[in-house]
Amino acid sequence: MTIKHNQQIQHNHFRKDWQRRVRCHFDQPGRKLRRRTARLTKAAAVAPRPVDKLRPVVRCPTIKYNRRVRAGRGFSLAELKEAGIPKKYAPTIGISVDPRRANLSTESLVLNVERLKAYQARLIIFPRRVGQHKKTDSSKEEVAAHKEEGKVTRKTHSVLPIVNEAREKAIGEIKKSDMGEGESAAYRKLRDARSEARLVGVREKRAKVKDDEATAAKK
């Protein structure tokens, strides 16, 4: 609040114990080590499974960023159905599921179904108990071959990465010379179709009145 006229000076409180409210992050090196240890502990606990789940490829929201793709929350139920994976079985094999997500385009549906099938082709499911194989488990030969190789995927996104296309390869502006026949005046055709749909009732009424007048004039 500003001071006007010849009044008493405000009592400014400059004796607050501000040292107690300041936090200095001198524990950053220690925290870095603890985070690394926690990551290694988690990887050892879930081994031979990856530490992350498979996530879908989705478009970023808003017109400004929708040219980019990123990892989504989970696969939609339609994508799982197309890939032939039950929705309750998917989380047990490392696939994230988002029942609220809907596919607004065929392109996203096809892309994520292919992603699920590529994941299934690479997936090797070990039996929970030794000697007890189920239908959903991988064959004994695949499990034995994998154990002999000793290759374990720690991160799913390193095997199936989500990559954005380069600016040069992205879809750009289409020239008039590249358009097919009948597409030269697409905007004009859309406006005419919209106008006809909007004025269909008015024009029918006008034509009816004109016919009535013509009929009355003949009589």
Side-chain angles (χ1 to χ4, degrees):
M1 182 177 178
T2 57
I3 301 173
K4 292 183 179 180
H5 311 297
N6 188 17
Q7 295 177 358
Q8 184 180 3
I9 298 173
Q10 293 178 347
H11 296 287
N12 294 317
H13 303 277
F14 291 127
R15 296 188 180 181
K16 295 178 181 176
D17 190 11
W18 61 271
Q19 287 90 346
R20 285 195 303 109
R21 297 176 177 84
V22 173
R23 181 173 182 184
C24 299
H25 298 277
F26 295 130
D27 58 344
Q28 279 189 344
R31 281 188 175 276
K32 182 180 179 181
L33 182 62
R34 284 201 294 275
R35 286 195 298 270
R36 176 180 169 78
T37 307
R39 286 196 298 270
L40 294 174
T41 305
K42 180 182 177 181
V46 300
R49 293 174 292 171
V51 293
D52 59 343
K53 289 189 174 184
L54 182 70
R55 299 193 180 276
V57 180
V58 298
R59 289 276 167 188
C60 297
T62 70
I63 297 173
K64 184 177 181 181
Y65 297 107
N66 66 358
R67 68 183 185 278
R68 294 182 63 251
V69 292
R70 62 172 177 82
R73 183 184 183 89
F75 289 90
S76 65
L77 300 181
E79 291 166 353
L80 293 172
K81 187 177 181 180
E82 286 289 327
I85 303 173
K87 61 182 179 180
K88 290 187 178 180
Y89 176 65
T92 63
I93 57 173
I95 298 173
S96 55
V97 182
D98 185 9
R100 296 176 296 178
R101 185 169 153 262
N103 294 97
L104 301 180
S105 64
T106 310
E107 288 80 3
S108 67
L109 178 67
V110 172
L111 179 65
N112 285 317
V113 168
E114 290 177 357
R115 187 172 172 82
L116 284 168
K117 289 181 179 178
Y119 178 76
Q120 278 186 301
R122 293 172 177 267
L123 187 65
I124 295 176
I125 303 175
F126 287 81
R128 289 193 173 184
R129 296 182 181 179
V130 180
Q132 295 183 6
H133 281 267
K134 295 182 179 181
K135 292 182 180 179
T136 55
D137 296 339
S138 299
S139 62
K140 295 181 179 179
E141 293 78 12
E142 290 178 346
V143 173
H146 188 76
K147 285 183 177 179
E148 288 178 2
E149 292 176 1
K151 293 181 180 179
V152 178
T153 303
R154 293 296 183 191
K155 295 180 180 179
T156 306
H157 66 262
S158 63
V159 180
L160 297 170
I162 297 173
V163 183
N164 280 284
E165 287 188 0
R167 188 183 292 271
E168 295 77 17
K169 295 182 181 179
I171 297 173
E173 186 177 353
I174 300 173
K175 297 180 181 178
K176 286 187 177 181
S177 59
D178 298 337
M179 290 183 179
E181 295 182 1
E183 296 182 3
S184 57
Y187 180 73
R188 184 69 264 164
K189 289 180 181 178
L190 288 172
R191 296 296 298 179
D192 291 343
R194 180 174 178 271
S195 178
E196 289 175 5
R198 187 165 53 89
L199 299 173
V200 63
V202 177
R203 288 173 178 170
E204 286 179 358
K205 184 179 179 181
R206 192 183 298 165
K208 186 178 180 182
V209 170
K210 192 174 181 180
D211 292 341
D212 291 345
E213 290 177 354
T215 306
K218 288 179 181 179
K219 291 180 180 179

